[in-house]
Amino acid sequence: MGKQVKTPRFYVDMPTFLHATGQLGWNDSNGGAELLYMNCSNPYTKQVDEEGTEEVARIGSSSNNTTKTSFPVNFCALLNHNLASNTNAFKFYGKHGLTPTTTDVKFNPVNEILNSYHTTDEINPTYNGTTIFDFTSDDEYWRSFSIYYGTSNFIDVGTQQLGSLVVGKYFDCPNSPDLNLTMSRRFDGIKSQKTIGGKTLSNIYYDGPTEWTMNGPNGTYKYPPFELDTTGTDFDQRVKSGLGRKGLRSWKLSFSYIAETDMWIENEVSNNVIADNVEPDVTKPSPMLSDNSFNFVWNCTLGGTLPFIFQPDNSEDGRNPDQFAICTFRENTFSVQQQAHNVYKVSMTIDELA
């Protein structure tokens, strides 16, 4: 697998954005806000030992009407899970509605992006670790999203875990970045100093992204982010702490000749009423959240404050575990220049989080 940047993809976490801007209804039982913000190293755990349909994890409220806007979703990422250890497949549901009556939606995966082997409506990952899949975009007043085991048989007894439940909308860049891009590795977690005697002492605070904790069939252990772990007992195939990729990645990118529709949100307003003489577009209750542009990514990560999943190459060649990273935009690096009428150049630096 190559490491070059082709056509990047940004996976934007919509519930985390709404929670950060005041919609605290995303905090609930079975994980709730603990599953937001992509803090995956110490996962939420639940003992699964019941018969029938079992909810493993949920973000949002299953009963209260706390939704203040609609928003589209087209992907789900399950970070740091051990769902493959259970022999039953699981299903991904959403619940939406503005009244006390809600509607359940079962999302049917369309494309397997990473470790998401599926049938029509069930996901059965081969490995523990990370699962990412997309589905047909759906714009609703979402109240909650849940992971269920659905079976009429006894569910395997055991501790299920999930580090983060990421649901939202991805943005594919309209073209590849300019050729003068820079990719670098940062080792800012290692500090060195010289002693009076002339020797060099180094303190290693961290040498890469924070490792994740896995409660797997081989016990409890740490492993590098996004790596896939076997459910068997073969030690050679088990993920190994401390032996993953070293350093934190950074990408300094620029994109030239970007059309206005790919650069800016058409209407940066919270509803669809934009002028007295313009009929409101009822299909877009929240124009800023339903947009598909660089501006949408910048807006819904609060200028790089909130993390997103970055995939440098959105093709099938870029679906190896080491092609994904939890990132933010480096402060004050996102800039836009107009190159011609309605044509722009956008520049940014993307940093992988420690």
Side-chain angles (χ1 to χ4, degrees):
M1 298 290 180
K3 297 294 187 291
Q4 60 181 313
V5 181
K6 293 183 179 178
T7 303
R9 173 176 289 180
F10 297 87
Y11 297 87
V12 179
D13 185 347
M14 298 304 293
T16 289
F17 166 72
L18 292 170
H19 186 270
T21 54
Q23 185 167 322
L24 302 181
W26 290 107
N27 188 8
D28 203 356
S29 60
N30 277 356
E34 187 178 344
L35 299 174
L36 301 178
Y37 297 94
M38 302 189 202
N39 295 318
C40 309
S41 57
N42 295 307
Y44 163 76
T45 59
K46 180 179 181 178
Q47 184 71 18
V48 176
D49 55 5
E50 299 180 8
E51 181 182 8
T53 301
E54 172 83 355
E55 184 183 62
V56 177
R58 179 175 70 237
I59 52 175
S61 173
S62 59
S63 57
N64 297 326
N65 181 15
T66 57
T67 302
K68 63 183 178 183
T69 183
S70 73
F71 59 93
V73 292
N74 65 3
F75 83 90
C76 175
L78 308 174
L79 306 183
N80 191 17
H81 71 76
N82 66 351
L83 300 176
S85 296
N86 194 303
T87 58
N88 296 290
F90 64 87
K91 300 181 180 183
F92 175 51
Y93 282 89
K95 187 185 292 289
H96 66 81
L98 282 174
T99 64
T101 302
T102 60
T103 301
D104 289 329
V105 175
K106 180 170 59 178
F107 295 98
N108 296 329
V110 174
N111 294 304
E112 175 186 345
I113 298 173
L114 180 65
N115 185 38
S116 57
Y117 175 77
H118 61 271
T119 58
T120 302
D121 61 352
E122 292 188 329
I123 303 107
N124 195 0
T126 304
Y127 303 102
N128 290 327
T130 296
T131 290
I132 306 176
F133 57 91
D134 67 8
F135 43 83
T136 303
S137 182
D138 200 352
D139 192 337
E140 299 287 353
Y141 283 84
W142 297 108
R143 290 191 185 188
S144 65
F145 299 99
S146 302
I147 297 295
Y148 279 89
Y149 280 120
T151 177
S152 58
N153 302 317
F154 280 100
I155 297 174
D156 292 351
V157 175
T159 299
Q160 299 297 161
Q161 74 170 55
L162 182 59
S164 187
L165 174 53
V166 184
V167 187
K169 186 161 74 79
Y170 62 72
F171 170 66
D172 286 330
C173 296
N175 50 257
S176 298
D178 300 341
L179 292 177
N180 61 343
L181 64 87
T182 300
M183 294 182 287
S184 60
R185 296 282 178 98
R186 303 170 354 253
F187 287 86
D188 44 11
I190 302 177
K191 308 297 181 182
S192 299
Q193 61 180 2
K194 274 197 172 184
T195 66
I196 297 177
K199 294 185 177 180
T200 299
L201 301 179
S202 297
N203 291 318
I204 302 177
Y205 298 98
Y206 57 88
D207 60 5
T210 301
E211 292 193 322
W212 296 350
T213 301
M214 172 60 65
N215 297 288
N218 301 311
T220 299
Y221 43 87
K222 300 285 188 178
Y223 72 104
F226 289 99
E227 289 197 12
L228 304 180
D229 189 27
T230 179
T231 59
T233 58
D234 187 351
F235 183 81
D236 290 338
Q237 298 301 315
R238 200 181 89 177
V239 289
K240 299 171 178 64
S241 174
L243 297 180
R245 175 180 46 79
K246 299 303 180 184
L248 297 171
R249 292 171 288 184
S250 291
W251 297 265
K252 186 177 181 181
L253 309 175
S254 61
F255 299 83
S256 296
Y257 305 104
I258 302 299
E260 184 174 40
T261 53
D262 293 322
M263 184 63 246
W264 302 114
I265 295 174
E266 184 178 5
N267 296 299
E268 288 193 85
V269 292
S270 64
N271 64 7
N272 54 24
V273 181
I274 57 175
D276 291 339
N277 61 343
V278 177
E279 189 70 21
D281 184 356
V282 296
T283 65
K284 296 181 178 180
S286 184
M288 289 199 296
L289 302 186
S290 58
D291 196 78
N292 198 42
S293 65
F294 281 106
N295 196 180
F296 157 78
V297 177
W298 186 246
N299 186 73
C300 291
T301 60
L302 299 181
T305 302
L306 303 177
F308 54 85
I309 299 174
F310 180 61
Q311 183 183 4
D313 175 12
N314 68 359
S315 70
E316 290 190 6
D317 290 338
R319 294 181 180 178
N320 205 47
D322 68 352
Q323 291 292 293
F324 297 87
I326 298 175
C327 299
T328 58
F329 293 111
R330 186 178 298 179
E331 187 177 4
N332 299 324
T333 64
F334 196 95
S335 64
V336 181
Q337 295 175 303
Q338 186 167 349
Q339 294 182 297
H341 178 65
N342 288 343
V343 177
Y344 299 88
K345 177 179 179 178
V346 57
S347 303
M348 69 201 73
T349 298
I350 299 167
D351 287 332
E352 184 176 23
L353 293 180

